[in-house]
Amino acid sequence: GSLYRIESRVLKVGTSSLRSFHELFDVDHAEPASTCEMVSVYFDLNVRAPKPIGEVLARGLRSLSEAPI
């Protein structure tokens, strides 16, 4: 089988959400085989509503937006 690598980066950190971008590469090709942009919402399951990410987590996520992870 082929070997793949995934490159991910944070595009935006909101109050209760995170937008990220992911690329799947076959290691033998420069072009991505697949891409995905997604929005994740920090959610409180008890009250069934979005909740703030929190400053410590938001700061860590923002630091990842500067380079692929």
Side-chain angles (χ1 to χ4, degrees):
S2 297
L3 292 176
Y4 292 91
R5 80 174 190 280
I6 297 173
E7 293 184 10
S8 299
R9 62 187 166 276
V10 174
L11 300 177
K12 181 182 179 194
V13 178
T15 303
S16 62
S17 65
L18 163 70
R19 192 164 57 108
S20 57
F21 184 76
H22 311 276
E23 295 175 289
L24 173 73
F25 292 89
D26 182 318
V27 296
D28 296 326
H29 298 89
E31 294 296 315
S34 178
T35 63
C36 173
E37 184 172 327
M38 58 190 275
V39 175
S40 303
V41 177
Y42 200 55
F43 199 78
D44 185 328
L45 292 174
N46 293 322
V47 296
R48 308 213 34 90
K51 72 180 205 175
I53 290 175
E55 189 51 41
V56 172
L57 181 56
R59 189 175 30 240
L61 290 168
R62 281 199 273 304
S63 74
L64 297 175
S65 68
E66 314 209 345
I69 54 174

